[in-house]
Structures are given as C-alpha cells and as structure tokens.
C-alpha cells in the first residue's frame, strides 16, 4: 500500500485536513459541516478532470449506449443507474427541473451541495458527504447542461458533472428530469465511476453501496419537493 502523507490547513475561518499520496492524489476532509469558504478552498486546491477526456460528456448518452461501451467497462468503470416515477404533468416537470437547479436532490442531512452553485457549463462545486467522523469534500465540474424535447419525451432537463483531482472517484454523473409522452415525470441518475484514490479502492464495495443509498435518498428528496403535502 502506498504511504499517505497528512497535511493540515487551519485558520480562523478554515479548518480542514487533506491526505496526499506520493503521486499527488488528494482527498479533502473537514471535521465539521463544510462552510462555503472551506468548499471554495477545496475547489481552489483541486486539479483538472481526473478521468480521460474521451469519456467527457458520455453520461449524456442513454444507459443502453454506456452498457454497450466495452472500453468503458474494460477500463474499470462501473455503472450506477436509477430511474423513478416522481409525478405527472407539466407542473410536476417544472418543479422537478427547479429542484435540480436548486440542488434539492442533494438536500440530505448527510450530503449536500451549496444551493447557490449555478447549474451551468463549467461551474465547479463540492459534494460534501458525512462519513463517520469527518465530512468528505469532493470537487466536480459541470460538463454539460441540456434541455430539449424528443419523440420519446415532451420535455427533459439534465446536467452532467465530471470528477476533478481530489475526488475519491473518477467518472461522471448525470441528473435528469423528464416529462414523457404519457405525461409521466421521471427522475433519473446515471453515472460511471471507478476508484481514484487508495482509500476508495480499499473501500469500493462500501462506496458502491453508498451510491445506491444516495440514489434512494435523492429520489425521496425530489419526491418531497414535488409533493410537500405527502411528505
């Protein structure tokens, strides 16, 4: 196992630590719920995308295309997918779209994104996740934002984000809301990822379980936003 070096940054406004491997891979940890300043510091210290440019924007494709991509699986990426019916009608679709734009799908007590983060191409942000004692801050960058109508759907809104250096995983994730031809509204999560740090490599089975758990919790958060009286 590669030796991990521990670095600590501390001031009156910031108090977080980060591990650095000898190959410069990092993971950002924070003892308390990360403040906007701490998230900004994490983003400033993160690097470029940590996955190959040829896969940039791949989550914009349908699930079937990613399943058929042998190169993706050959390079060790695993798929995670969830698609759940959350309502019906144009009003529910617009509420779902607003939920994604306001990061309501991350409105959890153990995971969040700063709701002021703009959902626009090129925006950088942190996904903050509570894991045991510390919080983990994982930097990403929005790769694409798309809203359209097709033969299969009356309207759809989605955006995809790619992992940056300093993230525990390497890969990309898409969140989408769709109003189909039957006026049903669907919330979908699609991602591909693989370990990008020795810590995630060791605990990858746990990481995959957490991805499934997040999908379930995120769906509940969207449902709560669309149907507040039923929550």
């Amino acid at each position: 196992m590669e030796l991990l070096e521990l670095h600590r940054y501390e001031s009156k406004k910031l108090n977080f630590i980060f591990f650095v491997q000898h190959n410069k891979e990092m993971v950002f940890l924070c003892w308390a719920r990360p403040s906007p300043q701490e998230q900004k510091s994490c983003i400033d210290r993160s690097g470029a995308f940590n996955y190959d440019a040829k896969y940039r924007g791949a989550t914009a494709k349908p699930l079937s295309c990613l399943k058929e991509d042998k190169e993706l699986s050959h390079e060790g990426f695993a798929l995670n997918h969830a698609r759940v019916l959350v309502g019906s009608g144009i009003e529910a679709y617009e509420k779902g779209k607003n939920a994604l734009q306001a990061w309501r799908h991350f409105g959890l007590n153990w995971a969040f994104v700063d709701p002021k983060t703009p959902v626009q191409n090129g925006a950088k942000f942190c996904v903050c996740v509570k894991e045991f004692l510390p919080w983990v801050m994982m930097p990403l960058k929005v790769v694409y934002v798309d809203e359209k109508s097709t033969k299969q759907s009356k309207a759809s809104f989605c955006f995809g984000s790619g992992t940056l250096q300093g993230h525990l995983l390497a890969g990309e994730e898409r969140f989408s809301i769709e109003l189909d031809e039957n006026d049903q509204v669907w919330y979908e999560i699609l991602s591909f990822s693989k370990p990008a740090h020795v810590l995630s490599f060791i605990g990858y089975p746990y990481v995959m379980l957490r991805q499934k758990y997040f999908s379930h919790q995120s769906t509940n958060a969207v449902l709560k936003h669309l149907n507040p009286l039923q929550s």
Side-chain angles (χ1 to χ4, degrees), residues 194-207:
K194 65 180 179 180
H197 191 280
V198 64
L199 296 179
S200 55
F201 180 81
I202 293 172
Y204 196 52
Y206 171 76
V207 171

Side-chain angles (χ1 to χ4, degrees), residues 128-149:
C128 302
V129 179
K130 183 73 166 66
E131 292 293 351
F132 303 108
L133 290 178
W135 285 79
V136 182
M137 294 183 289
M138 294 180 283
L140 298 99
K141 183 177 181 179
V142 178
V143 178
Y144 63 87
V145 181
D146 190 26
E147 185 169 17
K148 61 186 177 183
S149 60

Side-chain angles (χ1 to χ4, degrees), residues 103-122:
W103 300 93
R104 295 294 186 92
H105 54 302
F106 270 96
L108 311 175
N109 59 4
W110 60 273
F112 74 94
V113 170
D114 186 343
K116 295 180 181 179
T117 302
V119 177
Q120 62 186 36
N121 194 9

Side-chain angles (χ1 to χ4, degrees), residues 6-102:
L6 175 62
H7 294 251
R8 183 181 182 89
Y9 182 92
E10 188 169 6
S11 72
K12 292 182 179 179
K13 292 185 177 180
L14 301 177
N15 182 14
F16 70 87
I17 60 175
F18 58 95
F19 291 95
V20 184
Q21 280 183 261
H22 69 76
N23 61 359
K24 304 303 181 183
E25 292 176 352
M26 298 176 289
V27 58
F28 299 93
L29 305 176
C30 189
W31 293 122
R33 183 182 175 93
S35 68
Q37 295 95 332
E38 287 160 344
Q39 294 173 59
K40 182 180 184 301
S41 186
C42 170
I43 292 170
D44 290 344
R45 286 170 170 76
S46 66
F49 289 108
N50 65 355
Y51 66 108
D52 200 301
K54 64 184 177 182
Y55 297 125
R56 210 74 42 78
T59 53
K61 302 175 184 178
L63 172 65
S64 57
C65 292
L66 295 187
K67 284 183 174 180
E68 294 171 0
D69 191 333
K70 302 301 182 183
E71 191 174 9
L72 195 68
S73 59
H74 179 72
E75 293 198 14
F77 289 102
L79 296 178
N80 180 52
H81 178 251
R83 188 171 187 265
V84 180
L85 181 66
V86 293
S88 62
I90 187 64
E91 183 178 353
Y93 167 76
E94 290 295 339
K95 283 186 177 180
K97 174 184 170 182
N98 292 337
L100 296 191
Q101 292 174 322

